[in-house]
Amino acid sequence: MRVCVGTIVHHPEDARIMHRQIRALLDAGHEITYVAPFTDCNVTPDPRIRAIDVPRALGRRRRRALKAARGALKRGVEGADLLIVHDIELLFRLPRRRPATVWDVHEDTAAALEDKPYLPEQLRRTLPSLIRRVEARAENRLHLILAEEAYQERFSRPHPVVPNTTYVPSRPPAPPGHNRVVYVGHLSRARGAAELIELARRLLPHGVRMDLVGAADAEIRPLLRDAQREGLLDWYGYVPNQHALRMAEGAIAGLSLLHDVPNYRQSMPTKVVEYMSRGLPVITTPLPSAASLVERAGCGVVTPFGDVDAALQAVLALREDAQGSAAMGARGHAEALHHYHWPDHAQEFVGRLEEWATASAAPARAHRRPLVV
């Protein structure tokens, strides 16, 4: 099977796209064409794929990427049996002649507008209704896969869920350490960036450092640079997921101080499962899925939203109780290995795509109209 995968929004090394889905397809012997912003993200494409470079759609700078997307996808689907797109923006740039097409729904796009400070207030009020109409039309014309079970509520029919799991080592890594905490993932206000910086400030007198591993929103970058210059923390910027998780090993805890916003309220933060996979106790805010998992598995501490003092006390308590902390890490690893190991889900994901490609093999070359709102 020949598969074209497309994104103009996500980093080419995105864990869900590249390191889970594309890797699973390559391991199954399929051929991949990957339309992604390689140059803008300073990424050398994997030699096993055919790469088509496009500009990246970032913040308000989207016009150039959108303009390039249609031609790139048109080239990408030549001879392809399946097209997978990962951005709602690409639904407006689908080639007229294309194979069976899949939209991978990563998030609640309308709810996520709250975490996009670059958007004018007027757009934030009007876009949600437009997005819901686009989703409804996409459901009628495309195959959908969802990253969360809760996303089913936005659609009229059930769609397969491909969860954001991770690769879990068969044995737990080194037990939690005593002199640093870690955050892995994108940094924004809604993801708790301000609280992380303040927590780093309060931890420093206790001899505990903070490592932040991930790209940051434009408004957050100056705050992180200032904190790093002040010696409060180490900010490494974007690091490919598999390397970032190795960097996280041996920390006192993995932090997830996300705010109570609609897009996070119905989702499981992937970082929580990733921390568990590396044997780290988790410190999380009480988002329903994250809190339920951490409490059920006994692998961390739930602290109130925005409460830096509570997060500080949780870190110090974990450091002082090395035996209890190690037990938390071990329980989290066992839970991740049994329920959140990506290879256990990969075969079902690949099988579903093969089924869709086979079912539409005859009409795949037929004339298809683009998605129009």
PDB file of all heavy atoms in Angstrom, residues 185-207:
ATOM      1  N   GLY A 185       6.878  18.533  26.540  1.00  0.00           N
ATOM      2  CA  GLY A 185       5.725  18.903  25.722  1.00  0.00           C
ATOM      3  C   GLY A 185       5.746  20.372  25.366  1.00  0.00           C
ATOM      4  O   GLY A 185       6.625  21.128  25.780  1.00  0.00           O
ATOM      5  N   HIS A 186       4.756  20.778  24.570  1.00  0.00           N
ATOM      6  CA  HIS A 186       4.667  22.176  24.151  1.00  0.00           C
ATOM      7  C   HIS A 186       4.379  23.054  25.361  1.00  0.00           C
ATOM      8  O   HIS A 186       3.678  22.648  26.295  1.00  0.00           O
ATOM      9  CB  HIS A 186       3.559  22.333  23.110  1.00  0.00           C
ATOM     10  CG  HIS A 186       3.583  23.654  22.430  1.00  0.00           C
ATOM     11  ND1 HIS A 186       4.400  23.935  21.359  1.00  0.00           N
ATOM     12  CD2 HIS A 186       2.894  24.803  22.678  1.00  0.00           C
ATOM     13  CE1 HIS A 186       4.223  25.176  20.970  1.00  0.00           C
ATOM     14  NE2 HIS A 186       3.312  25.729  21.754  1.00  0.00           N
ATOM     15  N   LEU A 187       4.924  24.268  25.329  1.00  0.00           N
ATOM     16  CA  LEU A 187       4.773  25.199  26.450  1.00  0.00           C
ATOM     17  C   LEU A 187       3.902  26.376  26.036  1.00  0.00           C
ATOM     18  O   LEU A 187       4.172  27.045  25.046  1.00  0.00           O
ATOM     19  CB  LEU A 187       6.150  25.698  26.896  1.00  0.00           C
ATOM     20  CG  LEU A 187       7.010  24.631  27.596  1.00  0.00           C
ATOM     21  CD1 LEU A 187       8.476  24.841  27.297  1.00  0.00           C
ATOM     22  CD2 LEU A 187       6.756  24.666  29.091  1.00  0.00           C
ATOM     23  N   SER A 188       2.857  26.611  26.820  1.00  0.00           N
ATOM     24  CA  SER A 188       1.958  27.739  26.596  1.00  0.00           C
ATOM     25  C   SER A 188       1.369  28.125  27.946  1.00  0.00           C
ATOM     26  O   SER A 188       1.552  27.423  28.946  1.00  0.00           O
ATOM     27  CB  SER A 188       0.844  27.364  25.621  1.00  0.00           C
ATOM     28  OG  SER A 188      -0.030  26.412  26.203  1.00  0.00           O
ATOM     29  N   ARG A 189       0.643  29.245  27.971  1.00  0.00           N
ATOM     30  CA  ARG A 189       0.020  29.658  29.236  1.00  0.00           C
ATOM     31  C   ARG A 189      -0.963  28.610  29.722  1.00  0.00           C
ATOM     32  O   ARG A 189      -0.987  28.254  30.898  1.00  0.00           O
ATOM     33  CB  ARG A 189      -0.677  31.003  29.060  1.00  0.00           C
ATOM     34  CG  ARG A 189       0.283  32.167  28.943  1.00  0.00           C
ATOM     35  CD  ARG A 189      -0.371  33.491  29.277  1.00  0.00           C
ATOM     36  NE  ARG A 189       0.596  34.576  29.124  1.00  0.00           N
ATOM     37  CZ  ARG A 189       1.460  34.949  30.061  1.00  0.00           C
ATOM     38  NH1 ARG A 189       1.469  34.320  31.228  1.00  0.00           N
ATOM     39  NH2 ARG A 189       2.299  35.942  29.847  1.00  0.00           N
ATOM     40  N   ALA A 190      -1.792  28.113  28.804  1.00  0.00           N
ATOM     41  CA  ALA A 190      -2.801  27.134  29.212  1.00  0.00           C
ATOM     42  C   ALA A 190      -2.187  25.802  29.628  1.00  0.00           C
ATOM     43  O   ALA A 190      -2.823  25.022  30.336  1.00  0.00           O
ATOM     44  CB  ALA A 190      -3.806  26.920  28.084  1.00  0.00           C
ATOM     45  N   ARG A 191      -0.972  25.549  29.191  1.00  0.00           N
ATOM     46  CA  ARG A 191      -0.278  24.322  29.603  1.00  0.00           C
ATOM     47  C   ARG A 191       0.552  24.523  30.865  1.00  0.00           C
ATOM     48  O   ARG A 191       1.360  23.666  31.237  1.00  0.00           O
ATOM     49  CB  ARG A 191       0.601  23.816  28.465  1.00  0.00           C
ATOM     50  CG  ARG A 191      -0.192  23.315  27.257  1.00  0.00           C
ATOM     51  CD  ARG A 191       0.709  23.026  26.070  1.00  0.00           C
ATOM     52  NE  ARG A 191      -0.070  22.712  24.882  1.00  0.00           N
ATOM     53  CZ  ARG A 191      -0.270  21.480  24.419  1.00  0.00           C
ATOM     54  NH1 ARG A 191       0.238  20.447  25.051  1.00  0.00           N
ATOM     55  NH2 ARG A 191      -0.982  21.291  23.324  1.00  0.00           N
ATOM     56  N   GLY A 192       0.370  25.677  31.507  1.00  0.00           N
ATOM     57  CA  GLY A 192       0.995  25.896  32.806  1.00  0.00           C
ATOM     58  C   GLY A 192       2.395  26.456  32.771  1.00  0.00           C
ATOM     59  O   GLY A 192       3.143  26.320  33.752  1.00  0.00           O
ATOM     60  N   ALA A 193       2.775  27.149  31.693  1.00  0.00           N
ATOM     61  CA  ALA A 193       4.147  27.657  31.587  1.00  0.00           C
ATOM     62  C   ALA A 193       4.492  28.625  32.719  1.00  0.00           C
ATOM     63  O   ALA A 193       5.592  28.564  33.293  1.00  0.00           O
ATOM     64  CB  ALA A 193       4.361  28.327  30.224  1.00  0.00           C
ATOM     65  N   ALA A 194       3.581  29.534  33.043  1.00  0.00           N
ATOM     66  CA  ALA A 194       3.855  30.500  34.112  1.00  0.00           C
ATOM     67  C   ALA A 194       4.030  29.793  35.453  1.00  0.00           C
ATOM     68  O   ALA A 194       4.925  30.144  36.249  1.00  0.00           O
ATOM     69  CB  ALA A 194       2.724  31.527  34.188  1.00  0.00           C
ATOM     70  N   GLU A 195       3.197  28.788  35.707  1.00  0.00           N
ATOM     71  CA  GLU A 195       3.324  28.034  36.964  1.00  0.00           C
ATOM     72  C   GLU A 195       4.626  27.244  37.004  1.00  0.00           C
ATOM     73  O   GLU A 195       5.261  27.130  38.077  1.00  0.00           O
ATOM     74  CB  GLU A 195       2.136  27.090  37.133  1.00  0.00           C
ATOM     75  CG  GLU A 195       0.810  27.783  37.412  1.00  0.00           C
ATOM     76  CD  GLU A 195       0.091  28.258  36.162  1.00  0.00           C
ATOM     77  OE1 GLU A 195       0.672  28.199  35.058  1.00  0.00           O
ATOM     78  OE2 GLU A 195      -1.059  28.697  36.274  1.00  0.00           O
ATOM     79  N   LEU A 196       5.048  26.703  35.871  1.00  0.00           N
ATOM     80  CA  LEU A 196       6.314  25.966  35.835  1.00  0.00           C
ATOM     81  C   LEU A 196       7.492  26.884  36.170  1.00  0.00           C
ATOM     82  O   LEU A 196       8.405  26.499  36.915  1.00  0.00           O
ATOM     83  CB  LEU A 196       6.509  25.335  34.456  1.00  0.00           C
ATOM     84  CG  LEU A 196       5.587  24.159  34.123  1.00  0.00           C
ATOM     85  CD1 LEU A 196       5.660  23.833  32.626  1.00  0.00           C
ATOM     86  CD2 LEU A 196       5.952  22.926  34.942  1.00  0.00           C
ATOM     87  N   ILE A 197       7.483  28.087  35.617  1.00  0.00           N
ATOM     88  CA  ILE A 197       8.571  29.033  35.898  1.00  0.00           C
ATOM     89  C   ILE A 197       8.587  29.403  37.373  1.00  0.00           C
ATOM     90  O   ILE A 197       9.646  29.439  38.014  1.00  0.00           O
ATOM     91  CB  ILE A 197       8.430  30.286  35.016  1.00  0.00           C
ATOM     92  CG1 ILE A 197       8.659  29.922  33.544  1.00  0.00           C
ATOM     93  CG2 ILE A 197       9.418  31.373  35.449  1.00  0.00           C
ATOM     94  CD1 ILE A 197       8.322  31.024  32.564  1.00  0.00           C
ATOM     95  N   GLU A 198       7.410  29.688  37.937  1.00  0.00           N
ATOM     96  CA  GLU A 198       7.357  30.040  39.361  1.00  0.00           C
ATOM     97  C   GLU A 198       7.747  28.850  40.238  1.00  0.00           C
ATOM     98  O   GLU A 198       8.442  29.014  41.259  1.00  0.00           O
ATOM     99  CB  GLU A 198       5.948  30.519  39.721  1.00  0.00           C
ATOM    100  CG  GLU A 198       5.765  30.906  41.177  1.00  0.00           C
ATOM    101  CD  GLU A 198       6.712  32.004  41.643  1.00  0.00           C
ATOM    102  OE1 GLU A 198       7.164  32.810  40.801  1.00  0.00           O
ATOM    103  OE2 GLU A 198       7.002  32.052  42.855  1.00  0.00           O
ATOM    104  N   LEU A 199       7.347  27.651  39.850  1.00  0.00           N
ATOM    105  CA  LEU A 199       7.750  26.469  40.601  1.00  0.00           C
ATOM    106  C   LEU A 199       9.265  26.295  40.564  1.00  0.00           C
ATOM    107  O   LEU A 199       9.883  25.955  41.584  1.00  0.00           O
ATOM    108  CB  LEU A 199       7.055  25.233  40.036  1.00  0.00           C
ATOM    109  CG  LEU A 199       7.408  23.890  40.673  1.00  0.00           C
ATOM    110  CD1 LEU A 199       7.085  23.889  42.168  1.00  0.00           C
ATOM    111  CD2 LEU A 199       6.674  22.748  39.971  1.00  0.00           C
ATOM    112  N   ALA A 200       9.871  26.528  39.416  1.00  0.00           N
ATOM    113  CA  ALA A 200      11.327  26.437  39.309  1.00  0.00           C
ATOM    114  C   ALA A 200      11.999  27.415  40.269  1.00  0.00           C
ATOM    115  O   ALA A 200      13.008  27.091  40.919  1.00  0.00           O
ATOM    116  CB  ALA A 200      11.762  26.724  37.873  1.00  0.00           C
ATOM    117  N   ARG A 201      11.434  28.621  40.373  1.00  0.00           N
ATOM    118  CA  ARG A 201      11.991  29.630  41.285  1.00  0.00           C
ATOM    119  C   ARG A 201      11.939  29.149  42.738  1.00  0.00           C
ATOM    120  O   ARG A 201      12.888  29.323  43.509  1.00  0.00           O
ATOM    121  CB  ARG A 201      11.210  30.937  41.130  1.00  0.00           C
ATOM    122  CG  ARG A 201      11.789  32.122  41.902  1.00  0.00           C
ATOM    123  CD  ARG A 201      10.893  33.343  41.771  1.00  0.00           C
ATOM    124  NE  ARG A 201      10.663  33.685  40.373  1.00  0.00           N
ATOM    125  CZ  ARG A 201      11.514  34.374  39.623  1.00  0.00           C
ATOM    126  NH1 ARG A 201      12.656  34.790  40.148  1.00  0.00           N
ATOM    127  NH2 ARG A 201      11.230  34.642  38.361  1.00  0.00           N
ATOM    128  N   ARG A 202      10.839  28.531  43.106  1.00  0.00           N
ATOM    129  CA  ARG A 202      10.664  28.100  44.501  1.00  0.00           C
ATOM    130  C   ARG A 202      11.437  26.820  44.808  1.00  0.00           C
ATOM    131  O   ARG A 202      11.752  26.545  45.975  1.00  0.00           O
ATOM    132  CB  ARG A 202       9.182  27.897  44.790  1.00  0.00           C
ATOM    133  CG  ARG A 202       8.372  29.172  44.619  1.00  0.00           C
ATOM    134  CD  ARG A 202       6.972  29.019  45.138  1.00  0.00           C
ATOM    135  NE  ARG A 202       6.102  30.105  44.703  1.00  0.00           N
ATOM    136  CZ  ARG A 202       4.844  30.271  45.078  1.00  0.00           C
ATOM    137  NH1 ARG A 202       4.297  29.391  45.919  1.00  0.00           N
ATOM    138  NH2 ARG A 202       4.121  31.279  44.628  1.00  0.00           N
ATOM    139  N   LEU A 203      11.727  26.035  43.782  1.00  0.00           N
ATOM    140  CA  LEU A 203      12.488  24.801  44.012  1.00  0.00           C
ATOM    141  C   LEU A 203      13.981  25.058  44.165  1.00  0.00           C
ATOM    142  O   LEU A 203      14.689  24.267  44.802  1.00  0.00           O
ATOM    143  CB  LEU A 203      12.253  23.832  42.848  1.00  0.00           C
ATOM    144  CG  LEU A 203      10.925  23.081  42.827  1.00  0.00           C
ATOM    145  CD1 LEU A 203      10.753  22.350  41.501  1.00  0.00           C
ATOM    146  CD2 LEU A 203      10.839  22.088  43.990  1.00  0.00           C
ATOM    147  N   LEU A 204      14.451  26.117  43.549  1.00  0.00           N
ATOM    148  CA  LEU A 204      15.904  26.354  43.508  1.00  0.00           C
ATOM    149  C   LEU A 204      16.549  26.368  44.893  1.00  0.00           C
ATOM    150  O   LEU A 204      17.603  25.740  45.089  1.00  0.00           O
ATOM    151  CB  LEU A 204      16.189  27.662  42.757  1.00  0.00           C
ATOM    152  CG  LEU A 204      17.604  27.824  42.211  1.00  0.00           C
ATOM    153  CD1 LEU A 204      17.971  26.680  41.272  1.00  0.00           C
ATOM    154  CD2 LEU A 204      17.747  29.163  41.481  1.00  0.00           C
ATOM    155  N   PRO A 205      15.986  27.055  45.907  1.00  0.00           N
ATOM    156  CA  PRO A 205      16.615  27.024  47.242  1.00  0.00           C
ATOM    157  C   PRO A 205      16.674  25.630  47.858  1.00  0.00           C
ATOM    158  O   PRO A 205      17.464  25.390  48.790  1.00  0.00           O
ATOM    159  CB  PRO A 205      15.705  27.945  48.069  1.00  0.00           C
ATOM    160  CG  PRO A 205      14.992  28.803  47.083  1.00  0.00           C
ATOM    161  CD  PRO A 205      14.811  27.950  45.881  1.00  0.00           C
ATOM    162  N   HIS A 206      15.865  24.712  47.347  1.00  0.00           N
ATOM    163  CA  HIS A 206      15.866  23.339  47.861  1.00  0.00           C
ATOM    164  C   HIS A 206      16.827  22.431  47.072  1.00  0.00           C
ATOM    165  O   HIS A 206      16.850  21.215  47.307  1.00  0.00           O
ATOM    166  CB  HIS A 206      14.453  22.761  47.794  1.00  0.00           C
ATOM    167  CG  HIS A 206      13.455  23.499  48.635  1.00  0.00           C
ATOM    168  ND1 HIS A 206      13.310  23.279  49.999  1.00  0.00           N
ATOM    169  CD2 HIS A 206      12.561  24.472  48.307  1.00  0.00           C
ATOM    170  CE1 HIS A 206      12.357  24.072  50.469  1.00  0.00           C
ATOM    171  NE2 HIS A 206      11.888  24.808  49.468  1.00  0.00           N
ATOM    172  N   GLY A 207      17.564  23.011  46.150  1.00  0.00           N
ATOM    173  CA  GLY A 207      18.525  22.225  45.384  1.00  0.00           C
ATOM    174  C   GLY A 207      17.897  21.364  44.305  1.00  0.00           C
ATOM    175  O   GLY A 207      18.490  20.358  43.892  1.00  0.00           O
TER     176      GLY A 207
END
